């Protein structure tokens, strides 16, 4: 067979491959266009962890994870209410994202390697650095989780929580009996009803779930943190534009805090001559349009939702019922590990 024959056979095959590659790329890289034409962002959230995502009695969703989707909607539509919240259980959340039922999952989900390489998902940023803790009855006067040997341990199925418990008890040569439940409310009921001696999940969620107990003050969260739980939004792989928008929404809120721009000072900031502030406000650089949004995308986020500190303090901070200190979620300039790359 001559080379020309081989090539002529190859060309249509290569062309077809290019078309398939192009259409596949296009088919998966459409999240922003889909959201814009639908007129609302579809956001998967936890069904009811106060401070992170919970509906108010009037049906309005609030919380730290909810606000991330509101920030995205603000960036896209200049309207933080253009979000349809879809409550999802721990076990169902990643399937819903894979199936395209939501545009983004913002549900206290831990970024793990398996969830990326096995599920085809990606976690663009860490919005809340957390770790797993234990809650016990105060009257037991326990000082450390190392005294929990022989416990019945309540945890939610479909989470990293259940896996970490096994690692922790096995590594420390302690016996335990897992009591796995399907929802946070069930876990709380089981613990409050005495079906287990300790309840475990992300420490932030323990602060929230403690409020659901009959007598919250009778329970303490032990100081031990047994895992790394970097929490953040998840999206499907293969949409670089959407990946950038999600990532930079978080970074804009961090950069705004670092530069002292808040929902209260955003109008002043629009007149600032500081180069960093001018780029954040979209007065220089034109990065918003290059990302598929408008150049004032960050202004919209800050005005409608706030900077990172505002979102944190409003939902989970020390002045809320959860009372979680900023801790490692402080900015890097204040001793924490929240660090945003520069907008430039
Ligand atoms: N960060 C862990 C745990 C996430 C999780 O689902 N935590 C439970 C414990 S509070 C929760 O949010 N449940 C909400 C619900 O079922 O209402 C993970 O990603 O697996």
């Amino acid at each position: 067979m001559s080379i020309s024959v081989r090539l002529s056979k190859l060309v249509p095959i290569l062309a077809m491959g290019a078309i398939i590659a192009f259409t596949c790329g296009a088919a998966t890289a459409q999240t922003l266009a889909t959201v814009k034409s639908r007129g609302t962002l579809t956001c998967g959230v936890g069904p009811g962890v106060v401070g992170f995502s919970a509906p108010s009695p009037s049906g309005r969703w609030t919380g730290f994870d909810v606000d991330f989707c509101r920030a995205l909607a603000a960036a896209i539509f200049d309207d933080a209410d253009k979000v349809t919240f879809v409550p999802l259980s721990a076990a169902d959340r990643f399937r819903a994202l894979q199936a395209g039922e939501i545009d983004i999952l913002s549900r206290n989900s831990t970024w793990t390697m398996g969830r990326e390489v096995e599920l085809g998902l990606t976690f663009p940023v860490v919005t809340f650095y957390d770790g797993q803790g234990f809650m016990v009855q105060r009257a037991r006067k326990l000082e450390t989780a190392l005294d929990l040997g022989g416990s019945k341990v309540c945890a939610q199925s479909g989470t990293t929580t259940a896996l970490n418990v096994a690692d922790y008890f096995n590594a420390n040569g302690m016996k335990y009996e897992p009591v796995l439940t399907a929802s946070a409310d069930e876990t709380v009921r089981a613990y409050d009803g005495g079906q287990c001696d300790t309840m475990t999940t992300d420490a932030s969620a323990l602060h929230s779930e403690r409020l659901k107990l009959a007598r919250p003050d009778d329970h303490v969260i032990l100081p031990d943190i047994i895992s790394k739980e970097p929490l953040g939004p998840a999206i499907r792989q293969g949409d670089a534009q959407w990946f950038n928008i999600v990532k930079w929404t978080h970074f804009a809120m961090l950069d705004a805090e670092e530069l002292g721009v808040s929902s209260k000072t955003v109008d002043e900031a629009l007149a600032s001559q500081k180069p960093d502030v001018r780029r954040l406000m979209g007065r220089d650089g034109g990065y918003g349009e290059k990302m598929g949004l408008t150049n004032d995308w960050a202004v919209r986020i800050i005005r409608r939702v706030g900077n990172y500190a505002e979102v944190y303090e409003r939902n989970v901070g020390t002045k809320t019922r959860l009372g979680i200190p900023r801790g490692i979620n402080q900015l890097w300039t204040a001793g924490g590990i929240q660090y945003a790359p520069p907008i430039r």
Side-chain angles (χ1 to χ4, degrees), residues 1-325:
M1 207 193 323
S2 73
I3 287 188
S4 61
V5 171
R6 262 193 268 144
L7 262 183
S8 66
K9 281 194 174 157
L10 213 57
V11 167
I13 293 168
L14 284 176
M16 219 157 74
I19 290 165
I20 290 167
F22 178 74
T23 46
C24 285
T28 54
Q30 287 291 331
T31 311
L32 177 63
T34 306
V35 171
K36 280 184 177 169
S37 70
R38 195 194 296 123
T40 176
L41 173 76
T42 308
C43 172
V45 290
V49 179
V50 173
F52 285 88
S53 59
S56 71
S58 68
R60 184 177 167 77
W61 285 89
T62 58
F64 183 89
D65 290 340
V66 162
D67 275 350
F68 189 79
C69 282
R70 292 198 185 283
L72 266 177
I76 298 165
F77 299 114
D78 200 13
D79 184 343
D81 285 335
K82 289 203 169 156
V83 190
T84 306
F85 291 102
V86 179
L88 292 167
S89 71
D92 200 32
R93 59 188 150 162
F94 299 121
R95 183 212 55 79
L97 181 58
Q98 286 171 318
E101 291 168 17
I102 51 177
D103 303 310
I104 183 164
L105 178 73
S106 184
R107 190 204 174 284
N108 58 9
S109 295
T110 305
W111 177 358
T112 68
M113 188 170 180
R115 287 171 178 177
E116 293 201 323
V117 302
E118 292 166 1
L119 304 182
L121 304 176
T122 185
F123 289 74
V125 279
V126 178
T127 51
F128 192 105
Y129 289 96
D130 209 342
Q132 186 170 331
F134 293 92
M135 180 158 62
V136 292
Q137 285 180 0
R138 188 184 292 277
R140 293 175 66 191
K141 293 197 163 58
L142 294 183
E143 278 176 8
T144 159
L146 291 168
D147 293 336
L148 288 173
S151 293
K152 286 187 183 158
V153 183
C154 272
Q156 196 170 329
S157 49
T159 61
T160 47
T161 316
L163 307 172
N164 295 328
V165 170
D167 286 356
Y168 181 76
F169 280 82
N170 293 338
N172 288 297
M174 301 181 331
K175 289 208 168 61
Y176 77 108
E177 195 183 310
V179 180
L180 294 183
T181 50
S183 73
D185 284 352
E186 253 182 76
T187 316
V188 170
R189 270 198 303 275
Y191 171 70
D192 225 6
Q195 287 173 47
C196 44
D197 323 298
T198 178
M199 170 177 167
T200 181
T201 183
D202 302 339
S204 64
L206 282 180
H207 282 86
S208 171
E209 297 308 289
R210 180 164 59 171
L211 302 173
K212 294 182 186 160
L213 297 171
R215 300 166 71 94
D217 290 341
D218 288 359
H219 303 266
V220 288
I221 296 163
L222 296 175
D224 313 62
I225 294 293
I226 65 160
S227 69
K228 290 190 284 188
E229 305 294 326
L231 309 180
I235 56 173
R236 290 175 289 279
Q237 283 174 15
D239 187 339
Q241 181 189 48
W242 193 234
F243 182 83
N244 278 339
I245 290 171
V246 170
K247 197 168 48 168
W248 285 98
T249 291
H250 177 59
F251 293 153
M253 290 193 279
L254 287 180
D255 278 330
E257 180 183 356
E258 190 176 329
L259 294 169
V261 182
S262 72
S263 59
K264 290 177 196 70
T265 63
V266 68
D267 287 320
E268 249 168 78
L270 277 167
S272 170
Q273 291 310 313
K274 289 186 189 155
D276 284 349
V277 177
R278 285 184 62 82
R279 281 191 296 269
L280 175 69
M281 298 286 101
R283 317 277 293 178
D284 291 331
Y287 299 116
E289 284 181 10
K290 289 168 194 157
M291 197 162 59
L293 302 175
T294 54
N295 284 339
D296 69 346
W297 63 285
V299 176
R300 295 169 164 201
I301 295 172
I302 300 160
R303 177 172 286 136
R304 311 255 172 243
V305 182
N307 66 27
Y308 184 83
E310 290 180 282
V311 170
Y312 188 100
E313 297 304 339
R314 172 166 71 230
N315 293 303
V316 301
T318 47
K319 292 201 179 86
T320 67
R321 288 173 70 212
L322 273 72
I324 310 174

